[in-house]
Each structure stands twice: as structure tokens, then as C-alpha cells.
Amino acid sequence: MRWLVGWSSTAARALGAETAGATGYDGETLRPVGSHLLWGDPDPLWAVGDWRPDEVRVVHADAQNRIAVLGICGASDEELRRGLFTARGGALRHLTAWPGSYTAVVQAGRRITVCGDLAGARPVFHAPWEGGTAYATAALPLADLTEANLDFGHLAALLAAPEVPAALRDTTPYEGVRRVAPGHALVLRAGAREIVGYEPVASLAVAAPPADPDRAVDAVRDALVEAVRVRLAAPRHVPGLDPGPVPGMGPAERRAARGMPVPGIGADLSGGPASGTLALLAAGLPGRPGTLLGHGTGAGERLLAVTFNDLAVGGREAELERAGALAANPRLHHVVVTGAEDTLPYADLDGPLTDEPGPSLVTAARHRARLAAGSADHFTGHGARQVLDAHPARLADLLLDRQRRHLVRPVAALTRADGSVLVPARVYGAARRLSRTPYRTGLEALAERLMRRRFDEPKGAVGASLAALTWARPGPAARWLTGEALAEVSVLLQTGADRAAGGPGHRPGEFRARTVLARHAADLRVLEQAAEVRSQRLHAPFLDNQVVRACRDLPEALRVKPGARAAVLRTVLEGAGVTDLPPGWGTPSHASSAAAARTGLRLAADSLVDLFDTPLLADAGLVEARVVRKAVRAAAAGEPLPLDGLADLVSLELWLGRLLSRRGTCWTGTPARARAVPAGIAPQRSALRAGARPS
């Protein structure tokens, strides 16, 4: 893991620029373990972890005014200096408008500004400490610093309503540690904190002016090309020297066995449109996109393209064939990684402790098997579906904007999939109801559903679309929570409804799309930590600020067309000079992922039942052990239960076990090496009440 951490104190201390940190116990300086000081007291800032030299930049205007940028940022030092001067006047949006994925921290006197991103993949956290405020880009260091206990109300909301901001609020799994919402910045003035938004909010009273589809797609192309280009312009990294030959192993096999990625740049090539677009862009842009000469495969400057072939579960033959056709590009070096039953979901549940829980913990070993054969800098297509596709609730946005005619094509596609002539009336009726339903009413309806345990939803593609045509809906794991846990989340929603008289500031479809994106970005962050390969960096350009902004400007009428994502990415590639795409490119496929999850669950059913023999979730009052064990056995037997809900339960149980079994801490100078959740989980039925207080 890599993060930055610092604090803003209420009073300045006369310490030199080379010192930082409060005085801990026995005279030991309080500072993060394994940290590098970026600037000193009175408001110090550290970079913690294995940051590369080019990933950390600090530009000074004078002793009291400076900016730090951590991550991949396309701004020059002069642009950073101009951004620093502009930020001193209060303007923040420009700090997030440079290409790349990064966190910017500005110090102007005693005022500290930390900017989060739009998607939520690079979040910012804060907590009160010593009369001031500590902040970080990870929640666990702040929990260690404050010895925070678990926030059971947040954990309950994470299972009952993971995509509802009114339930999650700004909380984290750690009590007292708060999260800055995507699109916002944390501003600290001598210890006092303020959360400010840096994105303009469109009016709900007046429809937005119609956008030109061609210009909007061109903007997506430019943003995506620039996101790839800024990563190609970064210095190449060689993970480490190969210790030597191993009998029966080639260089690539030795690297994979030792957890060493290939030097240079590579990309996933699954056969889908997102990963294929990034691989072809990276291979086709001017420069040196691929592996380094003299290192690794000997492929020269060809881009390393990695395809995962699951031998345990079929159904991806067409995608694999398309990946092979794309890999015929002479600037690609194609590597196929095969996986058997040992790479199925739930097969290997051992892994490192992540900052927060996430459903990807059950598939981390599967991803690690693929990434171990990848490059030191590896492109992934994560986030493309969330930023480009139309959430079904966007049909209500079209009605609000009086664009009914654009409902014809998506409704016709659903009709063909279902085969019923009643589909158009059902979908139009649901979209019309949502367009006329206030946000507050939507929260109250969800609170009522949780209290009455109504979780049954229509089946099939049409049923999924109808269920999504609402302001808020229960999470897939909600059906297995205890009545007390659901009651606590229901109270949170009622409280949120009382505060949300003016609504969230967005149309229902746009609002739901943002919450789904935030959920996906948070889980991708968990996946990066759980499947981390030493010296490797995963790049998700679709989650860059500028790419997210460009995608948000796509007109609704373009989004809702069937196959819109593939059409947009095809246009992006054509603009970059790539026109020869294999037949069927862009065809969606989700069946293989569901089949792999069900097969993995069936094979690992006994170990999962043992995991929930005496679960920590039951000690916390969130579930009853026998109910979860029964659900695991039923799902393994083939009953149509929501598998993603079981993944949520298993991942949270795994995360709690890893958190409570850890022995280290993120800080020196604390009493007895203090860490988060010092007392563990006390088995009590009323444990939720401590975490359910309104913030």
C-alpha cells in the first residue's frame, strides 16, 4: 500500500523544516512507519510506502507556500506552480484537471487543501486528533492514530445499502474516521476542517443545453488518449534483477513464480472493448510503449498484452478468439495465462489486509494470477462500463428533459430480450414514476423495504432494469442481515430523508450512475491492494478525472442506445488510426463471470461453511451464523440466490479476521504500539448502536 498522511494542528510549533511529528511516549517521535517526509512542522506531510521517485513531486513558491502531487500527473513544474498560486485564491477545480491519476495537496500558510478525485479511486480521509485534524489517503493509518473502534453502523449499511450515500454517509469502517465524498476537497485551517465541492452543480429547474454527440465523443477520445499518453511519458521501471536461472523455467516463468512483473508497460487484453481499446491505444501511440530491450521477454518495444483463459469454466471462447485477433497487431506481444480450479473465486482466501473491505477480496487470487504475468505498469479497463454505459435510471432523466423519443431503442432492445409485448408499458411506467418521485420519498421507500424485509425483485434483463429504476435499492446481502441491523440502517435512511428535503442535486439517473461509479472505484482500490504484485502499478485511465468529466458530458440520448459503449470506443480507436477490429468486438458478456463465481462457491462450500462456524459478523450482531451457512449450502446446490451478496458477506468476514489478527501498526511513538480496534469485537446484540449515531 501507498498513501500520504499529515495533520493540521491548532497552534504552530517552532520546529525546523527537517523535523516533524509530535512527541510520543518515552520521548519517541510520533511519525508513520516507513515514511518519507515531504515537509515539516507545524503541519507535516509524509509519503508512506514504495512510491517511485517520479510519483512524488513537491514544488515550492516559498517556505510557506508549496504543492505536493503524488501519483501520475501530466502537469509540468511550472503548471504546478501556477496551480499553487491560483489555489491560494480559493480556486480548486484546476488542481484536478491535469491528465493522470494523482492526489494534490496545497499548503498556503496555515491552510492545507487536499483534493479527492471524481470517481473515488483516490479518496481522502480525516479524523479529529489532538485538538486538530489528521488526514490521509488511507483510513487505517488514521484509525491506528486515534485507536478507533469499528463503526458497526457503517458495516451494516455496507451490506444493506452499499450504493446509497444516505446510509453510508461520510463514515468508514473505523469509528471517527470520515471520508471526503468524490468531487470534494478537504480544507484545513489551523486544525479546523471544511469540506468543499469543486465541481459545478447543474440546475434541476432548467434542462441542460443539448450537447453535440460528435463533439462529446471527440472529447472522450482526447481525454482517453491523453490519459494513456501521460503514462507512456513516465520513466520506465525495472522491478529488480533476476536472481538467476531455475531448472525447467524460462525467464517469464521465473518472474511469475517470484512475483516479479515484466519491466515496461503492458495491458490486459480480455477481448472486451475497454481493455482492447487501452491496449491498442498504448501500442499505437508514438513513443516506446512496451517492454525494455534486454529485459524480460526480449520482445523489444512491443506492448505486453495479457489474456486470462479460465480452463475451469467455459463460455468465453468468443472473447478469447477476439483477443487473439487483436493480438495479431505487430506492436503487441501476447501472453495467455491459464487458470484452473485453484484460480476460481473463493479458491484462495489468504491475502493481505486491505484498507477497507470489498467484494473483490474473494477474487483477489484470481486477478493476482493474471497480473503476475503482467508488466511493471499495467493498463486495465476497469471503470469503462460505469462511466460510459447508461444506468437504467437514466430513462427517467430523458423524461425529465422531455426526450421521450429516445426511449424507443433501449425499450425495444429489452422487449426483444424478454419477448413480451408488455415490456414497453412496464418500463415506461417505471421511468415515469421515478421521474415524479422526490429523492426523500425514495429513501423512505427503501427504509420501509428494509424494515419489512421485502427483497424479492423481478428476474431477467427486464426485471433488473425495472428494479434499478428507483432512487435507492437494497444491497444483495441485505436479505441475510439480522432484524436489528436492518432496523439501524432503516433509521439512518429516515434521518437522511429528513435532511434531504432539497434532493441530492442531480437527476435520478445521473445520481444513480455516480453512486455505482463510487462503489466500483472503492472496490477497485481494494482489489489493487489485495492482488498487489511487488513493484507493479495498475492503471485505470477510465477513472481519471478528465476522462470521467468527458464521459459525463456525453448526451443521454447517445448513452441509452444499445451498444453505446462499444460504439464510443470504436470511434475513439478510429480517431487514433485503429480501424481493423475483429467481428463481434464490443459484444457484452457477463455469463462467464457468474458461472465462475457459482463454480468456485460450489467447490469451496465446505471451507466457507467453516468460515461462518463462529463468524465475527455474528459477534457484531450483523448476521446469524446458521442463516449464512444455510445460504452458502443452498447457493452451492444451485438455488438462485444473489451470489454478489454472498461475496459481500464472505469478504467482510475475511477483512474483519485479518484486521483483528494484525500485530503491527502504522505509527511509531504511540503507547504500546497502539492500533485500530484495540479491544476487538465484543459479542453483543446491541453493538450497532455505537456506530449508528448521525454524524
Side-chain angles (χ1 to χ4, degrees), residues 474-524:
R479 67 189 63 220
W480 295 301
L481 296 187
T482 62
E484 184 185 18
L486 293 175
E488 295 285 355
V489 179
S490 179
V491 170
L492 290 176
L493 291 170
Q494 292 284 4
T495 305
D498 293 339
R499 298 178 178 179
H506 305 288
R507 288 172 168 78
E510 181 185 2
F511 174 73
R512 289 297 308 277
R514 291 182 185 229
T515 60
V516 170
L517 174 60
R519 167 75 164 162
H520 176 79
D523 190 48
L524 175 61

Side-chain angles (χ1 to χ4, degrees), residues 236-332:
R236 298 293 186 270
H237 293 274
V238 178
L241 298 177
D242 192 338
V246 176
M249 284 190 178
E253 294 171 315
R254 290 201 305 268
R255 273 191 302 272
R258 291 167 174 160
M260 295 172 55
V262 177
I265 294 180
D268 285 339
L269 188 63
S270 66
S275 63
T277 297
L278 294 178
L280 293 174
L281 282 179
L285 290 176
R288 300 178 178 179
T291 57
L292 303 181
L293 284 169
H295 295 278
T297 62
E301 300 300 339
R302 290 194 292 168
L303 187 86
L304 180 66
V306 180
T307 299
F308 183 76
N309 182 14
D310 191 352
L311 301 180
V313 179
R316 295 188 62 243
E317 290 76 10
E319 282 195 3
L320 293 173
E321 184 177 348
R322 288 193 292 270
L326 292 172
N329 187 312
R331 300 198 72 177
L332 292 178

Side-chain angles (χ1 to χ4, degrees), residues 55 113 121 181 196 204 218 229 238 293 383 501 542 568 639 652 667:
E55 291 176 331
T113 302
V196 298
L204 295 180
D218 288 345
R229 194 192 309 275
V238 178
L293 284 169
F542 285 103
V568 170
E639 291 190 21
L652 184 51
W667 297 86

